[in-house]
Amino acid sequence: MSSPEQPVSVPERSTRSAQDEPARPASESAVTGEPLTAKVVGALRKGAAFLVVGAIGFLVDAGTYNALVFWGGEGVLYHSPLPAKIIAIAVATVVTYFGNKWWTFGHQQTDNPAREYLLYAVFNVIAIGLQLGCLGFSRYVLDLSSPLSDNISGTLVGQIVAVVFRYWAYDKFVFTGEPANKQQQ
């Protein structure tokens, strides 16, 4: 003969267990409760915004460099391509800072803008070094000095390496404030 099952009394716990949490669909993030598709779409939007800002920065960088080095055949800094590249990157950095601050990472509100500006500058100096390394290798190791080779090595290859580094560094270290909607709660 079997007897009906009796409920077993369990002492209450002071902390909540995974059983206390409502069940989540497999496509929902356990950390934020945000659906996985929303996280993917958000990441794609942020990445696309970063690339648009980067494209504008690329045009500013390339335009400034070519004006300084090749305007009228031999520009004012024709024989000084590295300082010309530093100037071009500095001008592009100002443009991209505001684009990234207000658009790409605009949802991240910081309580310490001085820290943000300082880290942005530090990571851009590192990125400048990466771009200059590409240009310097082309100019001084491979002995290529045409407008095409400078633009391929310093602007195209250097920019790709620097953009990947910057995106990682900005997201990980610079624009790390709380999302704006969480601060208002």
Side-chain angles (χ1 to χ4, degrees):
M1 270 177 143
S2 70
S3 64
E5 291 185 21
Q6 297 293 323
V8 177
S9 147
V10 177
E12 287 191 31
R13 291 181 254 165
S14 61
T15 59
R16 295 179 67 181
S17 71
Q19 295 172 348
D20 297 332
E21 295 293 322
R24 298 183 195 276
S27 64
E28 194 172 291
S29 169
V31 175
T32 64
E34 185 178 16
L36 182 59
T37 54
K39 289 183 83 166
V40 169
V41 168
L44 289 173
R45 283 186 180 150
K46 185 164 76 169
F50 185 79
L51 289 175
V52 168
V53 170
I56 293 167
F58 175 85
L59 294 174
V60 170
D61 178 0
T64 304
Y65 179 80
N66 282 296
L68 291 171
V69 176
F70 299 113
W71 187 281
E74 287 190 15
V76 294
L77 293 177
Y78 180 77
H79 297 289
S80 302
L82 297 182
K85 193 63 174 174
I86 291 170
I87 293 167
I89 294 170
V91 171
T93 297
V94 171
V95 171
T96 58
Y97 174 80
F98 289 107
N100 284 316
K101 172 71 176 162
W102 294 332
W103 187 27
T104 308
F105 301 98
H107 63 286
Q108 301 292 111
Q109 302 296 319
T110 184
D111 58 347
N112 191 349
R115 174 197 162 279
E116 185 179 88
Y117 300 145
L118 178 64
L119 287 175
Y120 192 88
V122 166
F123 288 118
N124 272 289
V125 167
I126 294 168
I128 288 169
L130 293 171
Q131 280 187 273
L132 290 177
C134 293
L135 178 62
F137 182 81
S138 173
R139 272 283 179 124
Y140 302 116
V141 174
L142 300 177
D143 200 27
L144 302 171
S145 60
S146 71
L148 179 62
S149 64
D150 276 7
N151 281 293
I152 288 173
S153 63
T155 306
L156 183 63
V157 174
Q159 192 74 270
I160 289 168
V161 171
V163 162
V164 170
F165 170 76
R166 283 180 175 120
Y167 184 78
W168 170 79
Y170 296 168
D171 192 44
K172 182 110 174 130
F173 301 107
V174 179
F175 300 110
T176 59
E178 289 293 319
N181 59 1
K182 285 188 180 179
Q183 285 186 343
Q184 296 171 357
Q185 294 177 352

